[in-house]
Amino acid sequence: MITAVVVMTAAAAAERGRLAGSLDDLAHLHWVWLPLGIALEATSMAAFAAMFRRLLTARRVTPRRTEMLATIYAANAMSVSVPLAGPGLAAAYLFRRFTRLGASAMLAGWVLLASAVITTAAWGLIVVTGGLVSGHTVALAITLPVVALAVLALIATALAARHPRLRAALEEYLTQALKHGARLLRWPATDPKLALKAWAERFSALRIPPSTWALAGGDALVNWLADAAVLAVSIYAVGAAVPWQNLLLVYAAGIGAQSLSLTPGGLAITEGAISVALVASGLHVRQAVAAAVLYRLISFWLVAAVGWLIMLVKHARSPAAESVPEPALEPAPMTESAPETEPREHELVLLHGQPGSTEDWQAVLARLPAHLHAVAKDRPGYGASDRQATGFKANAQVILDDLNERGVDSAVLVAHSWASGAALQAASEAPDRVKAVVLLAGVGPGSVSIVDWLLAAPFIGPLSAKVMWRWTPWMARVRLAWLSRRQGRPLGLGEHVGLQVWGRRDSGVEPLWRAFLTEQRALLSELAELETTLPTIGVPVLLLADPADQIVPIMTAQRLVSELPDARLRLVSNAGHHLPGRAPGAVVEAITGFLAGIDDNIGLSRTQP
């Protein structure tokens, strides 16, 4: 992809005259087509919103059409504005909005999954139809088998959702296929069975009539076809003839380039892909570039601007200070009560996530009882640390070295997100120095996603990290400053935690993007080895997680509980991934109760003969 961008740039430099001509074509548009293009794009977005609303309505959650449309525009703006992480942020935003509209956490997650399946199926149908209509031998050779596989996949999915035995057989087959694929690609040897099982259970948990599936699929088709029609209108607007036979394939090339998300909304990459495909379909270079630019002005820039405008208006109309209760710790399952003892003193080491700093723990430190002595320090690569970022093993050694320097015999390690790997590594290597471990939304089996692979890949990884931590922080800081001015006071530690993380400035001995990239690659290279040591970690482990966490899925915590010899799981709903900032009270309550239970067990063992 990088090579393609370089080639396109060189070609653009060599064809300055034609590019200038393209701009001249844009200055002489047939303006009569422009309102039609805008209307078609509005139809596309309305159909997309209708699909989500139809799925929610099937389970008796009926948001207003205007409210759902505004939500979809805002989520789209978020998705196309942030490189790589944009789709994940948009999914988290949609999940939060659906729950606020009355959907349960399970229903919100199911709607996101079902919509992804429906949209992907509709997109596959568009691509297949484009290949068939084009009449090209190569396209036919590819699309005909795809048609057969797509039909079989849809039939199998529909049947598996209703028949547990078939679902189990498909889970086993896909597990083995993914394991073989992982070995061929040299991916970490994580077992995908738990993830497949969780997805299958979520997908089959809620059933809706076939007519609803069909209507939602129709909405998805209208979404794609109306957007493709905008491309056709853009070609007419620059005075060219629409290559109808190849139009869907040209459109597919552009959407495929945009889905890479290497730049915000696939900027420059998408325009280049569409231009090249149009030239291959017979358009003049000047007209192809002009049509691609006009299409993107309508389908990307205009829609994104409307989305951001909607978010600004919604925030401007919302109360200046929202009174949102802090997420609470869900009740623990009933267990045998042990004899109560006086609280014992414990040394705690608080380890921030990726990226992060000691500031992440301020709200937790302020709530800890006096008998718990906590120290929060910047990990290698961040803040005041004079070390460069590194992996789990080296981070674990830094933790143990710090205990030696402070003369601490043993401590309780409290780790958030990525740092959980370092905490478990330290407990594995030095169980006599680690009294217990508390993991907040910790990484582990099943936590690595396709985004993690992209962020760690050669060429793409460094480029993505640079763009992410140089493009988005200033946007987050502008937003935070605006919120602070609007409320007339500095923002609290638990307010807009996600924005505060994204808006963090470079600090430490190396740029933030480089520290992020180093830890991302360590996650992929060291996680598989760490997973093999889980059954040997005998210290007590407490896991805290939000079932709706969009960054580290709940299945990771469930897998850790099943593989660690002495582990328990507590849930904190509506807190998201940043538990230390959004639910400090629940974190302190869980830690205090967990250590009290350990003390009681120690006291009980000492009283027994």
Side-chain angles (χ1 to χ4, degrees):
M1 178 54 66
I2 302 299
T3 304
V5 172
V6 172
V7 171
M8 288 173 58
T9 304
E15 297 286 342
R16 287 195 205 108
R18 293 183 180 181
L19 290 175
S22 299
L23 297 177
D24 185 62
D25 287 347
L26 283 175
H28 297 84
L29 288 176
H30 299 288
W31 294 101
V32 68
W33 292 103
L34 194 59
L36 178 59
I38 295 174
L40 285 168
E41 191 59 38
T43 301
S44 174
M45 293 299 294
F48 196 47
M51 178 189 66
F52 284 101
R53 186 177 183 274
R54 197 180 303 279
L55 294 173
L56 288 169
T57 304
R59 304 304 301 177
R60 300 181 180 179
V61 177
T62 55
R64 297 193 306 272
R65 287 184 173 84
T66 54
E67 193 171 27
M68 180 57 67
L69 187 60
T71 297
I72 295 304
Y73 267 101
N76 176 76
M78 196 176 299
S79 176
V80 301
S81 300
V82 181
L84 282 175
L89 293 174
Y93 174 79
L94 286 174
F95 182 93
R96 186 168 66 253
R97 289 293 303 158
F98 291 164
T99 55
R100 290 181 179 177
L101 292 172
S104 64
M106 184 174 74
L107 175 59
W110 180 87
V111 168
L112 289 174
L113 179 60
S115 63
V117 171
I118 293 170
T119 303
T120 303
W123 170 244
L125 183 59
I126 294 292
V127 174
V128 167
T129 303
L132 294 174
V133 171
S134 70
H136 297 305
T137 305
V138 175
L140 289 172
I142 296 174
T143 53
L144 288 177
V146 169
V147 171
L149 289 175
V151 171
L152 289 175
L154 288 173
I155 294 174
T157 301
L159 292 175
R162 297 179 178 274
H163 300 284
R165 290 185 178 178
L166 176 59
R167 186 164 66 247
L170 284 175
E171 288 171 13
E172 185 63 31
Y173 174 79
L174 290 174
T175 297
Q176 296 303 320
L178 289 174
K179 283 183 177 179
H180 288 305
R183 281 196 290 268
L184 289 174
L185 296 174
R186 297 182 179 179
W187 286 358
T190 52
D191 188 356
K193 187 171 185 177
L194 188 64
L196 288 171
K197 186 175 182 64
W199 292 336
E201 288 177 352
R202 179 182 293 181
F203 191 74
S204 60
L206 301 173
R207 295 182 181 180
I208 60 175
S211 59
T212 302
W213 284 109
L215 290 172
D219 292 331
L221 278 173
V222 171
N223 169 45
W224 290 119
L225 290 173
D227 192 49
V230 175
L231 177 58
V233 168
S234 300
I235 296 172
Y236 274 133
V238 299
V242 177
W244 291 109
Q245 195 172 7
N246 297 326
L247 180 65
L248 290 180
L249 288 183
V250 172
Y251 176 69
I255 297 299
Q258 180 178 334
S259 65
L260 295 175
S261 297
L262 297 180
T263 58
L267 193 62
I269 299 175
T270 305
E271 288 85 348
I274 293 175
S275 299
V276 171
L278 286 175
V279 170
S281 299
L283 267 70
H284 190 275
V285 172
R286 288 173 47 178
Q287 293 176 322
V289 173
V293 171
L294 179 60
Y295 164 72
R296 291 283 284 166
L297 285 173
I298 298 173
S299 65
F300 171 63
W301 290 106
L302 180 60
V303 174
V306 171
W308 283 114
L309 181 61
I310 287 173
M311 282 196 283
L312 288 175
V313 171
K314 286 174 70 68
H315 282 290
R317 291 181 176 178
S318 62
E322 297 182 358
S323 178
V324 180
E326 183 178 312
L329 188 69
E330 293 189 5
M334 296 298 294
T335 56
E336 284 189 29
S337 58
E340 294 187 359
T341 61
E342 290 294 325
R344 299 174 183 269
E345 294 189 350
H346 293 279
E347 292 289 335
L348 274 59
V349 177
L350 308 182
L351 307 170
H352 63 77
Q354 171 212 32
S357 71
T358 55
E359 296 178 2
D360 297 347
W361 296 105
Q362 289 185 23
V364 172
L365 288 167
R367 289 170 169 80
L368 283 173
H371 66 281
L372 300 180
H373 311 294
V375 173
K377 290 191 174 182
D378 292 312
R379 293 193 297 100
Y382 301 102
S385 174
D386 59 357
R387 301 170 184 260
Q388 291 188 335
T390 184
F392 294 145
K393 292 182 179 179
N395 266 268
Q397 189 58 52
V398 170
I399 296 169
L400 299 176
D401 290 343
D402 176 65
L403 295 180
N404 292 333
E405 292 173 5
R406 295 191 290 120
V408 177
D409 293 331
S410 62
V412 178
L413 305 184
V414 183
H416 176 231
S417 193
W418 187 96
S420 299
L424 290 173
Q425 187 72 43
S428 173
E429 295 179 0
D432 56 323
R433 309 297 307 279
V434 179
K435 188 180 300 182
V437 176
V438 180
L439 307 181
L440 313 182
V443 297
S447 63
V448 175
S449 67
I450 185 61
V451 174
D452 293 308
W453 286 108
L454 289 173
L455 291 174
F459 302 113
I460 295 177
L463 175 62
S464 303
K466 285 183 180 179
V467 172
M468 283 173 62
W469 297 109
R470 291 183 179 177
W471 170 269
T472 57
W474 71 268
M475 296 173 59
R477 290 196 290 270
V478 168
R479 174 71 177 146
L480 288 169
W482 182 84
L483 289 168
S484 179
R485 286 196 303 271
R486 181 167 176 265
Q487 297 184 11
R489 59 174 175 80
L491 297 176
L493 296 175
E495 296 180 285
H496 307 285
V497 177
L499 282 174
Q500 293 193 39
V501 171
W502 278 101
R504 193 160 284 151
R505 300 177 186 274
D506 275 351
S507 61
V509 297
E510 58 184 336
L512 184 58
W513 72 267
R514 192 179 297 279
F516 178 87
L517 177 64
T518 299
E519 291 192 339
Q520 196 64 31
R521 289 177 169 173
L523 175 67
L524 269 68
S525 62
E526 297 185 31
L527 184 59
E529 183 179 352
L530 178 61
E531 288 177 12
T532 63
T533 68
L534 294 178
T536 67
I537 300 175
V539 303
V541 179
L542 171 66
L543 297 106
L544 295 181
D546 181 351
D549 189 342
Q550 298 294 309
I551 297 179
V552 176
I554 186 62
M555 66 187 72
T556 295
Q558 294 168 341
R559 176 78 173 271
L560 286 168
V561 169
S562 67
E563 296 196 15
L564 290 165
D566 184 7
R568 65 218 69 179
L569 173 63
R570 300 291 302 275
L571 301 178
V572 187
S573 296
N574 303 317
H577 182 68
H578 300 287
L579 294 174
R582 287 183 175 149
V587 170
V588 171
E589 179 187 348
I591 293 174
T592 304
F594 171 60
L595 296 180
I598 293 176
D599 295 340
D600 287 344
N601 290 334
I602 293 174
L604 180 63
S605 64
R606 288 178 178 174
T607 58
Q608 291 178 344

